[in-house]
């Protein structure tokens, strides 16, 4: 690890293209500008997503199952598309320019939705036309396109402000991921408490317009901070695109699969100490061999980078078992709240979607405890600079997520029992006597799970991909949540079809008093538990990627 006295930062330049100086670029001062634009993006995203199911089942008149599937599909695509945005950023535009373009698309999407598609009242007077539906979903997926460039680049660009080859900045970067999540949770809490209330009781159009204003303001602030940022050095003309470089490893490894290990290029073997002997060659190491057609072999660095990406696949797959339960808080958690007594204090009634603020508020509280108490304690015990490894942090969150689903199932069982006792089975529009306070534990537990798993996934995928592909690393974390949402949507549709839809005893009957969300939550608890034990098995054999100079 390099010492802190080095004035210039390796592999980084300032806004003029000169070598970045440690004293006046990057670190926390620059990171706060970047955190600001991400807070606004989360404010905008949750301005739509947090209460989307209420809009779909209200003004658009969709059934609970269809609305939940649509929310999960949109959420899934929104978090899968960043893989494409990250590719464009890492291969062509760079993170800074991609963030600016994505922010402009975001603003356009919100302007379109608030101006043309959202009714000025929450009262349903007639079924919306297919044209209105089409415009709404067009703007909705325009938001997804904006997020595809914004989401993977902003956090990677923020982490780029810390030099991992410098011991102090390496420690600060780990803390940055905690405070990053702390800040965006503060923004999410604000949007859920304020914007959701405006959408429910004032105007859907105004509720969608406010996030647009925030995006414009944040973009201006982001550009104003450009002199403080550290930018990754641009690839020289003669250097190969990282995607081409790593893709060539797979191509040559396939072509060389029949070559014997004795034909290994000795120079490359010596350059890569991790390859102790030809007998230990893996499939990708075959790319180090010189093909019979005279084509040049790959460099050991290329093989190491390709191997690092392949090693991430099993970890990524196991995190899907966390992403599926995670997708429920925007849909069924909210619909549960609709049927319950929502007066939390005398004269104070809250919209059901506002309970999502508990997730963010619990993260805000636990980040302080985690960063200031648990991490120092962990350092003294494990000697790890971050307290515990990122994989252990992810696994801890997966256990909490399993517990969350069990608690949610128990609460739903009690809600159904209460509705039956009070003769409300066939009166879904009448609020039951059970207080919405009963939902607080599952929201708080999910926040605690997020603090461990989501923040751990962000740091893990960022640090374990090749340096040139850090935007792709953040996109991998997001894509896991996206695929999880799509799987949740598919699972809901299949279960609804199997159990008879609204005409039968569907688990997702639009009359929640006849539905069985408790069965669904128990099923997700089993999925989460199986995923955790698989993750535990895989993570025990995982070897962390070593950073040059560390």
């Amino acid at each position: 690890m390099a010492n802190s006295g080095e004035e210039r930062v390796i592999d980084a330049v300032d806004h003029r293209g000169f070598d970045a100086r440690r004293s006046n670029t990057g670190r926390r001062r620059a990171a706060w500008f970047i955190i600001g634009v991400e807070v606004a993006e989360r404010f905008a995203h949750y301005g739509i997503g947090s209460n989307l199911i209420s809009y779909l089942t209200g003004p658009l008149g969709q059934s609970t199952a269809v609305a939940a599937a649509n929310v999960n599909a949109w959420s899934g695509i929104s978090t899968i598309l960043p893989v494409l945005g990250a590719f464009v950023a890492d291969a062509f535009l760079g993170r800074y320019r991609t963030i600016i373009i994505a922010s402009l698309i975001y603003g356009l999407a919100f302007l379109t939705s608030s101006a043309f598609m959202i009714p000025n009242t929450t009262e349903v007077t007639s079924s919306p036309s297919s044209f209105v539906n089409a415009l709404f979903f067009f703007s909705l997926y325009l938001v997804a396109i904006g997020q595809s460039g914004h989401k993977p680049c902003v956090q990677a660009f923020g982490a780029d402000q810390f030099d991992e080859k410098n011991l102090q900045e390496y420690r600060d970067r780990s803390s940055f991921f905690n405070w990053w999540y702390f800040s965006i949770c503060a923004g999410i809490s604000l949007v859920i408490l304020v914007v959701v209330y405006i959408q429910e009781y004032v105007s859907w159009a105004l509720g969608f317009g406010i996030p647009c204003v925030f995006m414009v303001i944040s973009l201006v602030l982001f550009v104003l901070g450009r002199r403080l940022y550290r930018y990754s050095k641009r690839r020289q003309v003669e250097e190969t695109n990282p995607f081409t470089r790593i893709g060539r490893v797979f191509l040559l490894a396939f072509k060389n699969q029949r070559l014997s290990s004795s034909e290994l290029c000795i120079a490359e073997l010596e350059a890569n100490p991790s390859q102790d002997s030809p007998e230990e060659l893996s499939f990708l190491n075959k790319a180090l061999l010189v093909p019979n057609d005279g084509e040049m072999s790959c460099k050991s660095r290329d093989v190491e980078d390709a191997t690092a990406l392949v090693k991430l696949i099993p970890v990524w797959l196991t995190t899907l078992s966390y992403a599926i339960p995670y997708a429920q808080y925007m849909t069924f958690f909210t619909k549960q709240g609709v049927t319950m007594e929502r007066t939390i204090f005398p004269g104070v009634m809250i919209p059901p979607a506002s309970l999502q603020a508990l997730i963010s508020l619990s993260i805000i509280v636990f980040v302080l405890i985690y960063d200031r108490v648990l991490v120092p304690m962990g350092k003294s015990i494990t000697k790890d600079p971050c307290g515990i490894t990122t994989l252990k942090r992810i696994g801890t969150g997966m256990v909490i997520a399993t517990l969350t689903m069990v608690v949610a199932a128990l609460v739903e069982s009690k809600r159904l029992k209460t509705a039956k006792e009070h003769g409300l089975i066939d009166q879904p529009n009448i609020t039951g006597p059970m207080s919405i306070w009963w939902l607080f534990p599952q929201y708080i537990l999910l926040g605690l799970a997020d603090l461990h798993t989501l923040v751990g996934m962000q740091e893990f995928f960022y640090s374990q991909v090749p340096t040139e592909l850090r935007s792709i690393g953040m996109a991998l974390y997001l894509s896991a949540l996206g695929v999880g949402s799509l799987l949740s949507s598919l699972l809901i549709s299949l279960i609804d079809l199997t159990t008879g839809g609204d005409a039968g005893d569907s688990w997702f009957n639009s009359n929640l008093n006849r539905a069985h969300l408790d069965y669904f939550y128990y099923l997700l608890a089993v999925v989460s538990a199986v995923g955790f034990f698989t993750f535990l098995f895989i993570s025990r054999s995982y070897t962390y990627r070593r950073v040059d100079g560390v």
Side-chain angles (χ1 to χ4, degrees):
M1 186 82 75
N3 62 59
S4 58
E6 294 180 354
E7 179 60 23
R8 299 191 183 278
V9 181
I10 301 173
D11 297 330
V13 296
D14 61 18
H15 71 287
R16 297 170 299 175
F18 300 139
D19 289 343
R21 300 174 68 88
R22 197 177 303 280
S23 60
N24 60 5
T25 64
R27 304 188 73 166
R28 294 177 187 267
R29 184 172 58 167
W32 280 114
F33 279 90
I34 301 168
I35 286 175
V37 75
E38 175 64 5
V39 169
E41 187 275 336
R42 291 291 84 190
F43 189 97
H45 177 82
Y46 278 83
I48 285 184
S50 60
N51 207 25
L52 181 57
I53 193 167
S54 295
Y55 180 79
L56 296 179
T57 56
L60 289 191
Q62 295 184 350
S63 69
T64 299
V66 171
N70 278 329
V71 172
N72 284 330
W74 172 74
S75 178
I77 292 174
S78 296
T79 42
I80 288 176
L81 279 180
V83 174
L84 177 60
F87 170 77
V88 172
D90 284 345
F92 304 107
L93 295 180
R95 289 164 196 150
Y96 180 76
R97 283 193 291 265
T98 304
I99 292 168
I100 292 177
I101 294 172
S103 296
L104 294 174
I105 295 174
Y106 240 124
L108 176 62
F110 275 95
L111 191 62
T112 302
S113 62
S114 60
F116 298 106
M117 299 182 304
I118 307 300
N120 291 326
T121 174
T122 56
E123 295 295 328
V124 181
T125 57
S126 61
S127 299
S129 67
S130 57
F131 178 70
V132 170
N133 272 305
L135 281 179
F136 175 74
F137 281 100
F138 170 77
S139 66
L140 197 63
Y141 281 92
L142 194 60
V143 169
I145 293 173
Q147 179 171 308
S148 71
H150 197 285
K151 190 62 178 165
C153 295
V154 174
Q155 192 167 9
F157 190 56
D160 288 345
Q161 306 309 308
F162 302 89
D163 179 15
E164 62 188 352
K165 299 180 179 64
N166 177 277
L167 181 58
Q168 182 57 48
E169 292 195 29
Y170 176 72
R171 291 171 176 167
D172 288 344
R173 192 187 72 183
S174 181
S175 181
F176 160 78
F177 282 101
N178 290 328
W179 289 101
W180 171 276
Y181 214 60
F182 175 95
S183 300
I184 65 174
C185 284
I188 291 171
S189 298
L190 180 63
V191 70
I192 291 174
L193 293 174
V194 177
V195 175
V196 167
Y197 182 88
I198 292 173
Q199 292 172 347
E200 288 276 356
Y201 300 116
V202 181
S203 166
W204 284 99
L206 180 62
F208 276 46
I210 292 174
C212 178
V213 175
F214 269 75
M215 284 299 298
V216 173
I217 295 173
S218 70
L219 179 59
V220 172
L221 293 176
F222 176 70
V223 174
L224 289 177
R226 70 188 186 280
R227 294 176 179 271
L228 299 176
Y229 303 146
R230 293 174 185 171
Y231 306 84
S232 298
K233 285 186 176 179
R234 291 186 179 181
R235 208 172 53 251
Q236 299 300 315
V237 176
E238 64 273 11
E239 292 183 3
T240 307
N241 181 296
F243 294 96
T244 303
R245 178 170 59 81
I246 293 175
R248 187 168 176 270
V249 172
F250 293 94
L251 179 62
L252 275 185
F254 179 77
K255 290 174 63 176
N256 294 346
Q257 59 181 320
R258 295 186 179 180
L259 294 181
S260 66
S261 59
S262 61
E263 298 175 66
L264 181 67
C265 176
I266 300 301
E268 290 289 357
L269 184 60
E270 292 176 350
N272 183 13
S274 66
Q275 310 300 329
D276 296 326
S277 66
E279 289 74 16
E280 296 182 1
L281 287 176
S282 67
F283 170 73
L284 291 180
N285 293 143
K286 292 285 188 177
L288 295 172
L289 301 173
V290 179
N292 294 327
D293 59 9
E295 185 179 356
M296 291 183 61
S297 63
C298 291
K299 296 180 180 179
S300 58
R301 176 203 171 194
D302 300 343
V303 175
E304 286 182 341
D305 287 348
T307 303
L309 290 177
V310 172
K311 286 166 56 182
L312 294 178
I313 295 175
V315 178
W316 182 89
L317 289 172
T318 56
T319 58
L320 296 180
S321 65
Y322 176 85
I324 297 175
Y326 173 78
Q328 309 314 314
Y329 78 92
M330 278 190 177
T331 55
F332 293 129
F333 281 18
T334 300
K335 292 302 292 182
Q336 279 180 280
V338 172
T339 68
M340 303 172 79
E341 172 55 52
R342 301 195 298 275
T343 302
I344 56 173
F345 300 110
V348 179
M349 180 178 291
I350 62 171
S354 293
L355 284 192
Q356 294 173 30
L358 289 173
I359 298 175
S360 300
L361 293 174
S362 65
I363 291 172
I364 290 172
V365 172
F366 286 120
V367 159
L368 296 173
I369 298 173
Y370 185 90
D371 199 63
R372 300 305 182 191
V373 179
L374 298 182
V375 170
M377 288 176 57
K379 287 179 181 178
S380 64
I381 297 172
T382 66
K383 308 304 179 185
D384 188 290
C386 302
I388 61 173
T389 64
T390 50
L391 287 176
K392 289 180 180 178
R393 184 171 184 172
I394 293 170
T396 301
M398 294 175 76
V399 172
I400 299 173
T402 303
L403 178 61
T404 301
M405 289 297 101
V406 173
V407 170
L410 293 173
V411 170
E412 176 62 8
S413 295
K414 178 171 177 57
R415 190 194 67 80
L416 291 173
K417 182 179 179 182
T418 302
K420 184 176 181 180
E421 290 173 348
H422 289 80
L424 300 176
I425 293 296
D426 293 313
Q427 301 182 60
N429 295 324
I430 297 180
T431 301
M434 187 172 172
S435 173
I436 203 169
W437 281 93
W438 281 88
L439 297 181
F440 278 42
Q442 65 199 59
Y443 280 102
I444 293 173
L445 282 172
L446 188 58
L448 188 56
D450 286 358
L451 174 62
H452 286 85
T453 296
L454 294 189
V455 179
M457 287 171 65
Q458 291 168 10
E459 185 173 359
F460 175 77
F461 286 112
Y462 176 87
S463 62
Q464 296 304 299
V465 298
T467 305
E468 301 160 286
L469 302 179
R470 291 254 163 103
S471 297
I472 287 291
M474 299 313 303
L476 285 174
Y477 134 72
L478 291 168
S479 67
L481 299 181
V483 173
S485 291
L486 292 178
L487 289 176
S488 174
S489 178
L490 176 62
L491 190 60
I492 290 170
S493 298
L494 290 176
I495 293 175
D496 187 53
L497 181 64
T498 303
T499 55
D502 281 346
D505 295 322
S506 172
W507 289 8
F508 313 113
N509 195 301
S510 292
N511 177 1
L512 285 191
N513 294 334
R514 285 195 171 277
H516 278 292
L517 293 183
D518 51 342
Y519 295 172
F520 184 58
Y521 291 151
Y522 280 127
L523 175 62
L524 294 186
V526 173
V527 170
S528 183
V530 171
F532 166 72
F533 286 111
T534 307
F535 171 84
L536 188 64
F537 174 78
I538 291 172
S539 62
R540 288 170 67 91
S541 60
Y542 184 86
T543 303
Y544 287 88
R545 179 174 178 268
R546 186 179 66 85
V547 178
D548 295 337
V550 178

